[in-house]
Amino acid sequence: MHWADSIAKALSHRSEKQVIASGITPSGEFHIGHLREILTSDIIKRACLRLGLDAQFVFFVDDADPLRKVYDFLDDSYEQYIGHQLANIPPPDENGSPDFDRFKEGVSYADHFLGPFIQALEHIGVNIDEIIYNYAAYKSGKVAEASRIACNQSDAIREIIERVSGRELDEQWFPWNPIDSDGSIDGITITGWEDPIVYWTDSQGREGLSDVTKGEGKLPWRVDWPAKWVWRGVTMEPFGKDHGAAGGSYDTGKEISVILGEQPPYPTTYEWISLKGVGAMSSSTGVTIGPLEALELVPPEILRYLITRNKPNRHIDFDTGSALIELADEYQKKLGDLEKGPGNWESLSRRQQVAWEKLKAQLIYSQIDPSQAPHAASERVTFRHLAMLAQIRKEDAGVWESLQRSGLISGQPDDDLLRRLEMMRTWINGPHFPESFRLRIQTSISDQAQSYLDGRDGDYIFSIHKGLSDCVWGAEEINGVICEEARQREIPLRDAFQTMYWIVLNQDFGPKLASILAEMERQEVLNLLQLAIDGLSS
RNA sequence: GGGCGCUUAGCUUAGCUAGGUAGAGCGACGGGCUCUUAACCCGUAGGCCAGGGGUUCGAACCCCCUAGCGCCCGCCA
């Protein structure tokens, strides 16, 4: 069974109505790891719906959280905002300085980072039923009840945190972080509690009060999280392994949740996504691939597929190199398999049946439009093939022409293919394109190639030159010349092609050679061959 | 120190809350496609399921122990 279906099944034992949540603090650039959080929720929601449950997906934006530090991408002037809530501070401009103009227009620091992310989510088919801005939720009193209970039960909550997490809270600890007169929630001492008012003294020695029902502050994270579960009725939430560690915030949260009046949601911890060979995603070390950047490389369904095919507890190495091409081609191949059907169902072993069901689920959950059944693309243009064509043909029209000629598409390319070519070009021109797929059509013969050619039959190259100078310029004809000449000389095809690969690409292998040559100008090819011949006779 | 996860063919892995002959993809090898090695099709080889113990008629699958690797435990998913 697919992992999302197992979770949905477990949830169905609890209730018909499911509220699946995700929460992210918009403190900096979003990366593909955040995408896993959201997609995990989205896929579970779809699994619930498929099972006939009533399911909603709510996305909590933790914009009530304070700015923790001046990140690398921020100007030093952000120092003054440390401790201030993300919904309340200006967004950075391209230099990392506070952009007051945009702030005046109503764009906060949180909005700045959130905007592009939400946009990416739309492209990737994530259907969020409700976005909850935590800051606004506090302001409007949604968290009032939970906040009052927490403050009234501060001893019990303190006991849970100390016992479960094993860390000691200091004397001053209180389950409420008020905002001081400057807008900061750092360095404040609680001096009293009189439902619903918290009395405090800030770092400057100024005193004040904070009404917990009016959002004049927030609950500390370990209490804030279960409070969200309770007031919004969350029944399921996936979270990163940091929260899932023993004594972590889920462990304390599930007990605090009970004090606040509700059972904790069904948990799922998910593993990190790291960038192949570089390490875990981290905004601070600059090891990131943003969701938008990822979407520029691969079609959104491939990103969904990446998440659905891996169980949440499975670590993912996001490989932007050749593995990405393989992933995309694998996806397409599986769509084809699905369309072909499982064959005689009865004759399959139980294992094979399970595998089939899972394959089906993976593809269903990969669809951008949940109402669309997976179907094989009408054209079988693989990523591999497109990667080659995009490198040989600089103009899009040339690519379409080539695909038409080879019969892979009929007529004009559809939108899907247009998009894929655009992405392929972005990929090829960017830093992530795998070197092993890069084609370097030569304009001269390298020493290395020359030394290979010296041990070969020079007449063969000469006859190729002759044959290609007057044949019809098409892949089939070119291939015919190469093979025919080789056969006449009893040269194994393998050797013949290697010879040609060395001349054209300066390596001993490559994609279908004839199709490359057919894409080149005849004169270009002849020039190269002539150079090779010249090199031999010297 | 506490905890989580992983360890199945060369590589990536499925199967583990239905315990009953180990599935797949890539790669390799062979063949076919009127003739490449990154296309396509067919086939072959390759696994004492990390190690040990236990439960069972029977364990990759359940329980215990050990080892290796990765990661999390100051609100960075």
Side-chain angles (χ1 to χ4, degrees), chain A residues 120-197:
Chain A
L121 293 183
E122 279 170 25
H123 287 302
I124 208 163
V126 171
N127 187 267
I128 299 174
D129 295 291
E130 188 180 354
I131 299 183
I132 294 171
Y133 293 87
N134 211 24
Y135 182 78
Y138 273 103
K139 281 282 178 228
S140 61
K142 296 255 172 43
V143 201
E145 200 49 37
S147 299
R148 288 181 53 225
I149 298 173
C151 291
N152 283 322
Q153 305 269 344
S154 67
D155 287 344
I157 289 176
R158 165 197 291 272
E159 188 276 329
I160 291 169
I161 294 178
E162 293 195 321
R163 170 172 49 80
V164 177
S165 78
R167 69 172 166 168
E168 226 166 286
L169 299 173
D170 57 66
E171 286 294 305
Q172 310 300 328
W173 188 88
F174 192 76
W176 184 257
N177 294 332
I179 303 169
D180 70 14
S181 41
D182 293 331
S184 171
I185 65 174
D186 282 351
I188 299 181
T189 309
I190 307 297
T191 54
W193 160 248
E194 216 170 293
D195 193 357
I197 305 295

Side-chain angles (χ1 to χ4, degrees), chain A residues 9-16 18 234-236 263-267:
Chain A
K9 196 174 153 201
L11 290 174
S12 70
H13 297 312
R14 298 176 124 213
S15 122
E16 278 293 301
Q18 297 296 330
V234 176
T235 56
M236 198 283 149
Q263 289 302 309
Y266 183 93

Side-chain angles (χ1 to χ4, degrees), chain A residues 102 348 383 406 424 451 457 470 517:
Chain A
R102 275 205 299 156
L348 299 180
F383 277 67
S406 54
M424 186 57 78
S451 68
D457 187 347
D470 55 14
L517 298 186

Side-chain angles (χ1 to χ4, degrees), chain A residues 92-356:
Chain A
D93 60 19
E94 56 274 16
N95 302 317
S97 305
D99 186 339
F100 294 105
D101 290 340
R102 275 205 299 156
F103 192 38
K104 258 180 249 157
E105 289 162 15
V107 179
S108 71
Y109 182 100
D111 296 331
H112 170 81
F113 291 108
L114 194 65
F117 185 63
I118 299 283
Q119 209 186 324
L121 293 183
E122 279 170 25
H123 287 302
I124 208 163
V126 171
N127 187 267
I128 299 174
D129 295 291
E130 188 180 354
I131 299 183
I132 294 171
Y133 293 87
N134 211 24
Y135 182 78
Y138 273 103
K139 281 282 178 228
S140 61
K142 296 255 172 43
V143 201
E145 200 49 37
S147 299
R148 288 181 53 225
I149 298 173
C151 291
N152 283 322
Q153 305 269 344
S154 67
D155 287 344
I157 289 176
R158 165 197 291 272
E159 188 276 329
I160 291 169
I161 294 178
E162 293 195 321
R163 170 172 49 80
V164 177
S165 78
R167 69 172 166 168
E168 226 166 286
L169 299 173
D170 57 66
E171 286 294 305
Q172 310 300 328
W173 188 88
F174 192 76
W176 184 257
N177 294 332
I179 303 169
D180 70 14
S181 41
D182 293 331
S184 171
I185 65 174
D186 282 351
I188 299 181
T189 309
I190 307 297
T191 54
W193 160 248
E194 216 170 293
D195 193 357
I197 305 295
V198 169
Y199 297 86
W200 51 263
T201 309
D202 70 13
S203 51
Q204 318 280 320
R206 288 175 298 207
E207 296 182 349
L209 7 136
S210 167
D211 186 335
V212 304
T213 65
K214 294 190 176 142
E216 295 168 357
K218 74 179 283 281
L219 295 164
W221 164 246
R222 291 216 180 221
V223 187
D224 179 66
W225 197 21
K228 277 183 277 207
W229 299 339
V230 171
W231 78 257
R232 192 55 188 75
V234 176
T235 56
M236 198 283 149
E237 178 164 354
F239 44 83
K241 61 194 292 188
D242 51 341
H243 297 311
S249 45
Y250 181 76
D251 271 3
T252 51
K254 67 185 177 194
E255 290 197 34
I256 293 171
S257 178
V258 173
I259 289 190
L260 300 181
E262 287 291 343
Q263 289 302 309
Y266 183 93
T268 289
T269 32
Y270 59 86
E271 258 285 356
W272 308 118
I273 295 182
S274 57
L275 208 50
K276 176 82 171 180
V278 189
M281 291 288 161
S282 162
S283 313
S284 54
T285 55
V287 178
T288 62
I289 288 262
L292 291 172
E293 196 180 345
L295 281 171
E296 283 171 5
L297 302 181
V298 245
E301 60 270 25
I302 303 299
L303 284 179
R304 291 190 70 100
Y305 179 63
L306 178 72
I307 304 300
T308 56
R309 78 194 281 274
N310 290 291
K311 283 184 285 198
N313 66 6
R314 204 90 195 182
H315 175 103
I316 296 178
D317 255 338
F318 188 67
D319 185 339
T320 55
S322 55
L324 204 49
I325 291 185
E326 276 149 28
L327 183 74
D329 282 344
E330 176 187 306
Y331 172 75
Q332 246 183 340
K333 187 168 189 308
K334 285 194 173 173
L335 279 177
D337 291 345
L338 184 71
E339 207 158 68
K340 269 184 242 155
N344 183 357
W345 184 256
E346 296 306 320
S347 70
L348 299 180
S349 68
R350 190 176 69 79
R351 275 200 189 100
Q352 288 170 313
Q353 292 181 347
V354 168
W356 176 262

